[in-house]
Amino acid sequence: MSMAMEEGARSCLMRFRHRLEDDIKPSYLMDHMVSDGVLTADEEERIKNQPTRKDQAAALLALLLRKDNRAYISFYNAMVNEGYNDLANLLHRDLPHGLPEGHKRSTDCCTPYVQTVLSEGGVPQRPVVFVNRPELVNRVREKLYRLQKEPGWVTVFGMAGSGKSVLAAEAARHHGLIEECFPGGIHWLSIGQLDKPDLLVKIQSLCFRLEQSLDSQPLHRPPNSLDEAKERLRFLMLRRYPRSLLILDDIWDSSVLKAFDLHCRILLTTRNRSLADSVCGSRYEVEVESGLDENKGLEILALYTETKLQGLPEVARSIVRECKGSPLVVSLIGALLREKPDRWRYYLGQLQQKQFKRIRKSSSYDYDALDQAMAASIQVLPDERREFYKDLTVLEKDTKVPAKVLSVLWDLETEEVEDILEEFVNKSLLFVDSHNKPYLYYLHDLQLDFLVEQNHSQLQSLHNKVVHQYQQHYKDAHSTSGDEECLYWIRFLTYHMAKANLFQELYSLMFSLDWVSTKAQLMGPAYLINDYVEYGPILDKENSETRSQFQEFLSLNGHHLEQRPFPDVVQLALSQPRTSEVYRQALLQARDRATTGKLYFEWLNKSSVESLSRLVIHPHQGSIYSACFSQDGATIASSGASKTLKVFKSTSGEKLMEIQAHDDEVLCCAFSPDDRLLATCSSDRKVKVWNVERALLLRVFEEEHEEQVNHCQFTNAARRLLLATCSNDKFLNTKLWNLNKPSSQNTMFGHFEPVNHCCFSPDDTHLSTSSNDGTVKLFHVSSANEWKTINVSDAFAESDAEVLVKCSTWTADGKRIICAARNAALVFDVETSDMLLEIRTNRLSTVQYCHACPTSNLLAIAFSNYGVEQCVLQLWDLEANKKMADCSGHLSWVQRVQFSPDGSQLLSCSDDQTVRLWETNKVHTTSAVCLKRDSDVLFNDDEVVVSAADNCNRLQVRDGRTGSVLFQSEEKPSRIRCTCMCKRPSAVALGQEDGTVQVLEVPSGKLLATLLGHTKPVLHCRFSQSGQTLLTSSEDTTIRVWRWQSAECRVLQGHKEQVRCFSLLPDDAKLLSWSFDGTVKMWDVESGEQLQDIEAHRGAILSCRVSPDGSLFATTSADNTAKLWHCESWKCVHTLSGHQDCVRSCRFSWDSRRLATGDDNGEIRLWSVKEGCLLRICSRDGKDGMDSLHGGWVTDLHFSPDDALLVSTGGYIKWWDVETGEALQTFFTTGTALKRIHVSSDFSTFVTIDSIGILYILQRVV
């Protein structure tokens, strides 16, 4: 053990201290140092408590200087692992010497300790007949010893059936190796050929296994996405099991390997030698020769036949030779000979005859020997067993099944089935994974190929039998237990039906909402969408409309179906169009369940809102900065704040590839013209080029850009392939790269401010660059010389502020170029540089991006949505200069938009973490006008009348049920901030930003009164019950009481800050007002006299309600408390503490015995009014995607007339059982951030408006 740190190492840290403090992210480095044991958890905690990243870095370095050589080395290794190569190089020269070396090898001995470690980690036991291959085992162990000092990869590769898995397990079976290198244990995971949803399930189960062994309560729900699962596994491997080995058995695909690229120690077995090329860290490999040598083969035969080696007949050698040394084939023959020891010559004859000639599927395997051995093994089975074995032909490759699936197929008790399967296993006809309880059984790929070849004429009837047996066994209900058997059926039932040509059964299954709900809950939506795509041609023969309705429902609700707790699919489906089969089934089920008291809500006016996006995908955690189509339109790549690059199918959103691409946010990704390459660029100042098919890094350009790289794009043609990149560098900010050269081919000079975007002209002769200097420059690609400058900033001469040009896009003919800057898209003539057209939008939004359609005159424009502009994606016709469509759906800024190469589709990506796909010709300007959330509603018998301002600042009064407009004002010059309605006389009032209040007659629109007096925005208005008095409150701190027909006015003055709201007491004679100044005041409405005034809270008061019996009122505040007050004495009766965040809303029950309060973390509490004590907390069952319990702040609450139910609004609407605090139903609105909900007196109709201006009239289904 080294004592203090060597002097050289210390002074090196001192020398580079400032550079290190400026650049490192301590939290990642500390992960490694804690797992190396040089940093304690307490020390890490202390450092993490420092306020800024730089303070944390300084604290880490100060602590390091007090530690020893081991700490310096661990810090150096952590820097290398986290990609700080240049900084690590500074420290490399002074690495301490003389560290303890050498491995102390203890004997191999399979000690109890070894057995315990291996069985806990799920490492398979030795096979029934085991032949040791010591030289190979030692080669693998020797490589594993190299992982003692640092993480890395050992690849054991060889062809099918060569015994790689047995070898990997054997290498780990060694006391000394575990003790010295892997004291954290050895964890085995069988992979096989699997797609992403399966991989997620595998990693979930591994995390669960690792968390279980810690004896701690599993702290988390299972991870929902691959990113989250990878993060969890990274934490477990680095923190909880720092020196452990992960064995990944039978890996086929490098993208799967990426999920385990976590800087830990990994042994993998594979047929593909080059898989590990795509991951980081040291790599070692061991090749397993395809055949056993002759003596090993003989040894297997001797073990099977229980003979001594010397006692084997001469013919044994010939058998081994004919087997080509394959462990699989030798085992099959050995198992036959154990049963019939006198048949040596007979089996040799069988092998030599090669009567099973078949197509060579793979050059890496000699099929003849296997076929003979398989045929012989099957021949000696009794007839009944042979039939059973034939049934296994229907399994998909790399699928493991529990005995229970086969007990359904064979109609036998599970125990009997297990005996039959064990027999197959003993004859080497089947393999068993004994780590799972229950055991899982599977065929080797080569065996399955053989069976399919043998039985190809009967495949349909074999699949038919599977489906028939399932239906017999489960009758009308599906298996939903969630165990291995259930998951098999839910995943593969559609596959068996399609293979059996049972098309009627497939239709009735896939056109059933029950099936969709079951499969989505157990397997997630991607599998389901895939089914509709894969079996689409079959389903379309029955009814293509229904198929597309189901597919659309899943595509647009996939992000909800991935949530846990799992949403109610029937409620989601009730929001589908009335003509949809999905809606029809949902309504029948809702009506049926409503008879037992279940709550369902129908969206009455949904026909006025068309969902225009074809598919919504949630590929990354965090903002998505870039998404692009491949040239063939079949795939989409996306990248963003999560530092990853993902590729997925544009039909279903199924993920095809995921790469941890950069050390910082990935700002752009782009396909090459032949779709074989993808380029990415990042804030980490690097540009990378990837091979798409193999997810392989081909090139890194990291030397030349010294600031973040904003954009990258390939030429349009592959003839002379170039990549253009642009950055925030001061001078050398735009570069062209030839991928065959290590440095850039050319640098474009001219901009002295950051360049945000670069783009080739359609014929690749020019490159346009858009910069913060207010210009777009056009360069000749061949010479890199500037051709011309377009001064975009001249179009904004009216203001002095700088003009940042975000991007430019060329029209298909290359004659015009469109530039995005501020709130406009400007069209210029390329030849003359003249501005031809400007498209200006709302002054509060900025154009983030624009793209011209390659096949038409359309231009897509993406916005940041500030305040008033609710639609963040628009389509414009450049010829007609008019807006063609508003694409509403995104909940936050849209960062990028792109047409597919054929112009038929459009994709957009946003800070709301989704990518949306749109069909260009289906997106048109909808009749749905966006409304503002400040609204008023009148419920009249069956009528629902809604008043709200629209996005053109007109006041609208609508019939809620039909959506028809009863009255619409002209556009108002000042923004409408609030509105209220009066039944008699039939009138509507509106308060404006400039302080004006107007009263209009409904439906004539005649102006009845203009009330002037407020000097600042009017925030709230209400008519008295008689309709003769109008009360308004304002940001100018006053409340005004108007006799509006005569314009008489009384001013209530006294608050020090804005008065957002007030309420009239039941008799209309008194008024209660509250303000951000923390006070509550009571006024006499007639005289205007202030009757009471108290300082109720230290923080701003956010809501206040009077109890229905008029005896108490409640206040809630930003100080995290609510208070109950006596209306007569004005004494505080109870202070209600417990909320962890601002208490935003409250409401009394109708019997005045309970109070509900809601906070900004989404939590709702129910209190006893009499005792002032907490009765229960609603919504503890899980956070949503917004990391809140309610999708955001709880803004409004209402009790039902019998006080049994409670409705609340936040990011969506929820209904609760007041007695138990359980959530009874959730309605997901398209937008979020609901401000309030209007409820009819019988609690059957609910009205709200969401953040993107959609109106919802919901009615309870009865």
Side-chain angles (χ1 to χ4, degrees):
M1 181 79 196
S2 39
M3 297 306 286
M5 190 183 292
E6 282 180 16
E7 210 32 61
R10 274 181 64 79
S11 61
C12 177
L13 280 178
M14 301 287 284
R15 213 166 47 246
F16 298 118
R17 192 169 184 167
H18 292 304
R19 277 197 60 183
L20 291 165
E21 283 174 9
D22 284 345
D23 283 355
I24 61 175
K25 271 196 182 156
S27 55
Y28 287 175
L29 299 176
M30 293 193 296
D31 273 355
H32 298 282
M33 296 170 72
V34 172
S35 65
D36 286 346
V38 302
L39 207 63
T40 67
D42 288 349
E43 290 171 331
E44 178 195 27
E45 201 46 47
R46 279 209 299 282
I47 290 170
K48 277 194 173 161
N49 286 338
Q50 300 292 328
T52 68
R53 182 203 59 76
K54 193 161 179 179
D55 294 338
Q56 291 176 0
L60 176 60
L61 289 164
L63 181 65
L64 257 182
L65 288 165
R66 300 201 294 277
K67 292 200 174 267
D68 58 9
N69 286 339
R70 276 179 48 246
Y72 184 93
I73 289 163
S74 169
F75 179 63
Y76 168 79
N77 287 335
M79 303 262 281
V80 174
N81 285 331
E82 290 297 336
Y84 295 109
N85 297 346
D86 44 349
L87 292 174
N89 287 339
L90 302 176
L91 304 188
H92 182 263
R93 235 194 44 223
D94 295 296
L95 274 175
H97 303 296
L99 285 166
E101 273 302 328
H103 314 303
K104 299 179 287 300
R105 287 177 187 256
S106 57
T107 51
D108 170 2
C109 61
C110 206
T111 57
Y113 165 69
V114 171
Q115 282 164 352
T116 313
V117 170
L118 298 189
S119 69
E120 278 176 0
V123 181
Q125 289 108 6
R126 287 177 172 164
V128 192
V129 167
F130 167 71
V131 174
N132 197 3
R133 300 158 84 179
E135 62 298 327
L136 261 178
V137 172
N138 284 336
R139 273 176 35 215
V140 178
R141 280 188 191 148
E142 186 258 322
K143 300 287 192 259
L144 287 173
Y145 265 108
R146 298 195 188 178
L147 302 184
Q148 181 178 10
K149 289 276 187 287
E150 56 167 3
W153 306 77
V154 175
T155 306
V156 173
F157 66 93
M159 50 145 247
S162 61
K164 302 181 289 292
S165 307
V166 174
L167 184 68
E170 200 48 37
R173 209 170 267 114
H174 186 279
H175 193 109
L177 180 72
I178 298 174
E179 215 170 40
E180 291 173 46
C181 302
F182 311 117
I186 293 188
H187 310 285
W188 182 284
L189 200 57
S190 305
I191 304 285
Q193 270 178 303
L194 42 82
D195 39 22
K196 293 295 152 65
D198 278 339
L199 177 59
L200 177 57
V201 173
K202 291 266 187 206
I203 300 182
Q204 279 173 341
S205 65
L206 175 64
C207 291
F208 184 69
R209 195 164 84 200
L210 296 172
E211 281 170 347
Q212 287 299 83
S213 328
L214 291 171
D215 300 331
S216 62
Q217 281 296 303
L219 300 171
H220 325 271
R221 55 174 174 66
N224 272 341
S225 64
L226 256 183
D227 279 346
E228 198 184 328
K230 187 171 165 179
E231 220 19 72
R232 176 86 50 83
L233 187 57
R234 170 189 163 101
F235 171 78
L236 285 166
M237 294 303 287
L238 285 176
R239 286 310 179 72
R240 299 285 189 260
Y241 296 92
R243 295 183 56 208
S244 59
L245 177 67
L246 185 54
I247 302 182
L248 305 176
D249 185 35
D250 192 24
I251 297 251
W252 285 70
D253 182 350
S254 59
S255 64
V256 170
L257 208 50
K258 283 289 195 230
F260 298 96
D261 195 354
L262 311 164
H263 290 307
C264 57
R265 296 159 169 81
I266 292 184
L267 168 65
L268 63 121
T269 71
T270 177
R271 301 182 190 183
N272 176 354
R273 175 176 199 160
S274 62
L275 274 191
D277 293 352
S278 60
V279 293
C280 320
S282 325
R283 298 190 281 267
Y284 310 99
E285 49 182 47
V286 176
E287 181 170 6
V288 181
E289 298 79 11
S290 55
L292 300 167
D293 62 39
E294 207 163 273
N295 288 340
K296 288 284 170 225
L298 290 172
E299 206 178 311
I300 291 181
L301 291 178
L303 284 165
Y304 267 105
T305 53
E306 294 173 359
T307 338
K308 289 206 162 43
L309 258 181
Q310 303 82 316
L312 286 173
E314 192 42 48
V315 67
R317 275 182 199 286
S318 316
I319 286 182
V320 172
R321 279 187 209 126
E322 283 297 333
C323 290
K324 303 288 189 291
S326 155
L328 182 61
V329 182
V330 177
S331 302
L332 283 164
I333 299 289
L336 289 167
L337 287 164
R338 181 166 56 198
E339 308 271 312
K340 300 273 192 293
D342 49 355
R343 291 201 173 174
W344 290 84
R345 287 228 164 272
Y346 172 70
Y347 290 133
L348 174 62
Q350 292 255 299
L351 281 169
Q352 287 168 333
Q353 280 167 31
K354 303 201 186 326
Q355 62 227 45
F356 291 91
K357 286 285 180 219
R358 59 200 273 242
I359 309 140
R360 298 269 184 277
K361 288 204 181 69
S362 135
S363 54
S364 75
Y365 203 76
D366 186 315
Y367 278 93
D368 292 335
L370 176 79
D371 292 351
Q372 309 318 318
M374 285 285 295
S377 303
I378 294 169
Q379 245 162 17
V380 301
L381 291 172
D383 288 354
E384 184 196 27
R385 295 280 195 270
R386 203 177 310 149
E387 283 306 304
F388 284 151
Y389 193 68
K390 184 201 283 182
D391 286 338
L392 302 182
T393 310
V394 299
L395 295 181
E396 268 264 55
K397 273 200 177 165
D398 293 304
T399 301
K400 299 180 177 181
V401 289
K404 242 169 120 184
V405 167
L406 298 168
S407 81
V408 170
L409 179 56
W410 296 335
D411 219 352
L412 296 173
E413 289 298 320
T414 312
E415 290 73 11
E416 285 182 75
V417 172
E418 282 171 346
D419 293 344
I420 295 168
L421 297 177
E422 199 175 326
E423 200 178 310
F424 292 158
V425 170
N426 289 336
K427 291 191 160 65
S428 292
L429 284 168
L430 189 66
F431 292 84
V432 62
D433 171 357
S434 52
H435 286 300
N436 252 333
K437 300 285 178 273
Y439 288 0
L440 297 180
Y441 299 89
Y442 59 99
L443 289 165
H444 197 292
D445 291 2
L446 303 173
Q447 293 172 319
L448 195 55
D449 286 345
F450 172 83
L451 280 174
V452 170
E453 193 81 22
Q454 281 288 90
N455 303 313
H456 64 91
S457 60
Q458 294 159 280
L459 280 176
Q460 190 175 327
S461 62
L462 289 171
H463 282 283
N464 200 330
K465 176 179 170 185
V466 178
V467 177
H468 176 75
Q469 289 297 106
Y470 174 83
Q471 288 169 335
Q472 287 298 304
H473 191 271
Y474 282 103
K475 301 292 185 284
D476 297 326
H478 289 293
S479 165
T480 53
S481 58
D483 61 12
E484 292 282 0
E485 181 225 0
C486 153
L487 292 178
Y488 178 85
W489 291 119
I490 300 300
R491 175 152 179 216
F492 290 110
L493 188 56
T494 44
Y495 159 77
H496 291 304
M497 285 177 172
K499 289 282 190 200
N501 288 357
L502 293 173
F503 297 152
Q504 259 346 100
E505 281 85 344
L506 189 64
Y507 303 145
S508 57
L509 186 66
M510 292 188 63
F511 293 163
S512 132
L513 194 58
D514 285 338
W515 171 253
V516 165
S517 178
T518 303
K519 185 154 182 168
Q521 181 159 9
L522 291 166
M523 314 223 63
Y527 272 127
L528 262 167
I529 297 175
N530 243 2
D531 281 352
Y532 287 96
V533 174
E534 190 165 333
Y535 307 123
I538 301 173
L539 299 172
D540 284 353
K541 290 196 182 99
E542 173 72 4
N543 189 332
S544 62
E545 192 123 311
T546 304
R547 194 260 315 153
S548 68
Q549 287 163 355
F550 272 92
Q551 194 172 327
E552 183 167 313
F553 169 58
L554 289 164
S555 298
L556 297 178
N557 287 283
H559 51 308
H560 293 314
L561 296 172
E562 279 170 347
Q563 284 190 356
R564 295 294 174 270
F566 188 71
D568 185 324
V569 172
V570 171
Q571 181 60 63
L572 282 178
L574 283 172
S575 296
Q576 291 300 293
R578 285 210 153 66
T579 50
S580 166
E581 173 64 17
V582 180
Y583 166 77
R584 203 188 58 73
Q585 291 185 26
L587 188 60
L588 289 173
Q589 291 196 26
R591 284 179 178 154
D592 181 43
R593 294 182 195 176
T595 56
T596 63
K598 186 103 175 76
L599 293 183
Y600 282 102
F601 299 91
E602 205 185 338
W603 182 5
L604 295 182
N605 62 323
K606 65 178 167 217
S607 56
S608 60
V609 181
E610 294 136 282
S611 180
L612 303 172
S613 37
R614 190 176 66 68
L615 179 63
V616 182
I617 311 161
H618 188 312
H620 302 262
Q621 295 299 313
S623 300
I624 302 171
Y625 297 137
S626 177
C628 59
F629 281 107
S630 57
Q631 305 302 323
D632 62 8
T635 55
I636 293 171
S638 69
S639 64
S642 66
K643 310 179 191 175
T644 52
L645 168 68
K646 298 203 184 176
V647 179
F648 37 91
K649 289 185 186 169
S650 60
T651 47
S652 67
E654 184 203 351
K655 198 157 61 178
L656 302 172
M657 174 178 109
E658 176 178 7
I659 297 175
Q660 230 6 85
H662 287 267
D663 304 329
D664 208 335
E665 302 187 319
V666 185
L667 302 178
C668 183
C669 56
F671 277 100
S672 65
D674 60 5
D675 288 338
R676 288 178 31 200
L677 307 176
L678 259 171
T680 56
C681 61
S682 158
S683 307
D684 68 7
R685 312 190 283 280
K686 294 177 187 167
V687 178
K688 298 187 180 185
V689 180
W690 307 85
N691 171 319
V692 176
E693 200 182 348
R694 297 175 47 206
L696 197 62
L697 180 59
L698 298 178
R699 280 259 177 278
V700 184
F701 301 120
E702 53 188 336
E703 301 299 320
E704 302 193 25
H705 284 299
E706 291 177 5
E707 296 291 338
Q708 72 174 35
V709 187
N710 294 317
H711 195 81
C712 56
Q713 192 177 2
F714 283 102
T715 44
N716 297 298
R719 232 184 21 258
R720 287 190 48 245
L721 185 67
L722 292 174
L723 175 69
T725 59
C726 59
S727 73
N728 282 358
D729 286 302
K730 201 72 179 144
F731 307 111
L732 314 179
N733 39 33
T734 309
K735 292 180 178 284
L736 288 178
W737 308 83
N738 174 334
L739 300 190
N740 301 319
K741 296 183 179 169
S743 57
S744 58
Q745 173 153 321
N746 263 324
T747 300
M748 320 292 209
F749 291 99
H751 292 293
F752 300 108
E753 292 289 332
V755 178
N756 298 312
H757 181 270
C758 53
C759 168
F760 287 99
S761 61
D763 61 3
D764 291 333
T765 56
H766 295 106
L767 181 77
S768 65
T769 55
S770 311
S771 165
N772 285 358
D773 61 14
T775 69
V776 167
K777 288 182 185 285
L778 307 185
F779 292 91
H780 292 288
V781 171
S782 52
S783 64
N785 292 334
E786 185 179 324
W787 176 38
K788 58 176 59 183
T789 297
I790 297 174
N791 284 309
V792 180
S793 51
D794 292 355
F796 299 93
E798 73 277 1
S799 84
D800 303 336
E802 55 181 351
V803 174
L804 315 178
V805 187
K806 286 288 178 74
C807 76
S808 59
T809 174
W810 299 72
T811 53
D813 57 11
K815 291 183 175 161
R816 287 166 301 166
I817 191 163
I818 300 116
C819 313
R822 285 222 190 134
N823 61 336
L826 310 169
V827 185
F828 292 91
D829 182 298
V830 172
E831 271 308 311
T832 64
S833 305
D834 294 340
M835 184 161 76
L836 306 173
L837 171 70
E838 58 180 321
I839 297 170
R840 293 260 178 160
T841 64
N842 177 302
R843 66 192 164 74
L844 290 171
S845 356
T846 6
V847 176
Q848 293 289 91
Y849 204 82
C850 61
H851 188 235
C853 178
T855 56
S856 74
N857 290 319
L858 288 177
L859 176 72
I861 306 179
F863 298 96
S864 67
N865 58 337
Y866 278 119
V868 197
E869 187 73 48
Q870 283 162 316
C871 188
V872 283
L873 178 57
Q874 296 180 356
L875 286 190
W876 285 70
D877 183 321
L878 290 174
E879 289 302 305
N881 186 16
K882 78 173 214 248
K883 180 161 75 168
M884 301 304 288
D886 275 323
C887 311
S888 61
H890 280 298
L891 307 179
S892 187
W893 294 20
V894 174
Q895 295 289 0
R896 188 68 60 91
V897 51
Q898 191 198 20
F899 286 98
S900 59
D902 65 2
S904 67
Q905 299 188 75
L906 175 69
L907 69 76
S908 54
C909 64
S910 156
D911 287 352
D912 67 8
Q913 311 188 6
T914 65
V915 172
R916 284 176 184 258
L917 241 77
W918 318 77
E919 283 179 70
T920 313
N921 56 5
K922 283 196 184 164
V923 188
H924 45 273
T925 304
T926 60
S927 54
V929 174
C930 307
L931 298 177
K932 299 295 164 196
R933 288 170 293 177
D934 299 294
S935 55
D936 194 23
V937 175
L938 286 180
F939 294 101
N940 245 344
D941 305 326
D942 247 9
E943 249 193 338
V944 180
V945 182
V946 182
S947 73
D950 68 11
N951 51 347
C952 301
N953 205 38
R954 301 173 297 208
L955 186 74
Q956 296 212 0
V957 178
R958 294 186 175 201
D959 176 325
R961 289 174 180 278
T962 62
S964 61
V965 177
L966 303 175
F967 156 68
Q968 176 177 300
S969 74
E970 80 283 2
E971 195 173 319
K972 297 288 174 190
S974 174
R975 181 176 158 203
I976 301 171
R977 290 296 299 267
C978 59
T979 165
C980 64
M981 285 187 291
C982 175
K983 278 187 196 172
R984 266 182 249 27
S986 177
V988 61
L990 56 97
Q992 292 175 264
E993 186 95 36
D994 62 6
T996 310
V997 177
Q998 291 188 329
V999 183
L1000 308 168
E1001 189 176 63
V1002 176
S1004 71
K1006 183 175 146 202
L1007 181 63
L1008 300 177
T1010 297
L1011 310 171
L1012 301 173
H1014 282 300
T1015 57
K1016 284 189 174 170
V1018 182
L1019 301 175
H1020 188 59
C1021 55
R1022 270 288 150 267
F1023 282 101
S1024 62
Q1025 283 167 15
S1026 67
Q1028 302 306 307
T1029 307
L1030 174 67
L1031 301 101
T1032 58
S1033 72
S1034 160
E1035 220 170 272
D1036 66 12
T1037 74
T1038 67
I1039 300 161
R1040 289 179 176 253
V1041 181
W1042 311 84
R1043 290 247 175 260
W1044 60 270
Q1045 277 134 326
S1046 63
E1048 266 177 70
C1049 171
R1050 197 166 298 106
V1051 183
L1052 313 183
Q1053 261 172 322
H1055 281 295
K1056 299 210 171 32
E1057 291 197 43
Q1058 53 175 290
V1059 185
R1060 295 210 79 126
C1061 204
F1062 55 81
S1063 60
L1064 282 164
L1065 269 64
D1067 58 0
D1068 270 9
K1070 292 187 187 136
L1071 176 138
L1072 196 65
S1073 67
W1074 59 94
S1075 161
F1076 278 17
D1077 61 15
T1079 64
V1080 180
K1081 302 181 196 295
M1082 174 86 84
W1083 313 81
D1084 181 304
V1085 175
E1086 263 313 296
S1087 67
E1089 185 193 344
Q1090 183 175 312
L1091 304 174
Q1092 283 287 2
D1093 177 15
I1094 50 164
E1095 258 188 56
H1097 290 272
R1098 287 197 312 281
I1101 297 179
L1102 302 175
S1103 74
C1104 175
R1105 297 275 173 203
V1106 181
S1107 64
D1109 65 8
S1111 66
L1112 297 167
F1113 66 92
T1115 54
T1116 74
S1117 163
D1119 66 10
N1120 298 5
T1121 67
K1123 293 184 180 180
L1124 284 166
W1125 307 82
H1126 212 287
C1127 280
E1128 286 305 308
S1129 68
W1130 281 68
K1131 292 267 185 298
C1132 177
V1133 188
H1134 297 294
T1135 297
L1136 312 176
S1137 307
H1139 283 287
Q1140 304 296 305
D1141 216 324
C1142 298
V1143 189
R1144 180 75 43 187
S1145 53
C1146 66
R1147 182 79 64 167
F1148 283 94
S1149 59
W1150 293 100
D1151 63 9
S1152 301
R1153 289 166 54 189
R1154 293 190 184 93
L1155 179 75
T1157 54
D1159 70 20
D1160 285 2
N1161 187 33
E1163 187 173 88
I1164 296 167
R1165 292 177 170 237
L1166 291 165
W1167 311 83
S1168 154
V1169 169
K1170 194 171 163 206
E1171 268 85 42
C1173 62
L1174 178 68
L1175 297 172
R1176 64 191 45 83
I1177 300 177
C1178 305
S1179 77
R1180 269 287 168 86
D1181 56 353
K1183 293 203 165 186
D1184 52 36
M1186 312 293 285
D1187 200 37
S1188 153
L1189 296 158
H1190 206 309
W1193 302 349
V1194 179
T1195 49
D1196 201 1
L1197 298 154
H1198 286 266
F1199 283 90
S1200 60
D1202 62 1
D1203 290 332
L1205 303 174
L1206 176 72
V1207 64
S1208 60
T1209 55
Y1212 30 78
I1213 309 168
K1214 281 181 103 84
W1215 286 264
W1216 307 90
D1217 180 319
V1218 173
E1219 216 26 69
T1220 62
E1222 277 175 61
L1224 299 175
Q1225 191 51 275
T1226 304
F1227 183 90
F1228 291 101
T1229 47
T1230 311
T1232 56
L1234 309 173
K1235 271 193 179 169
R1236 58 179 305 190
I1237 190 161
H1238 304 270
V1239 183
S1240 64
S1241 56
D1242 61 358
F1243 209 68
S1244 68
T1245 311
F1246 303 83
V1247 181
T1248 189
I1249 298 171
D1250 70 14
S1251 58
I1252 54 178
I1254 297 175
L1255 170 68
Y1256 299 86
I1257 313 275
L1258 304 180
Q1259 186 165 32
R1260 184 167 171 183
V1261 175
V1262 289

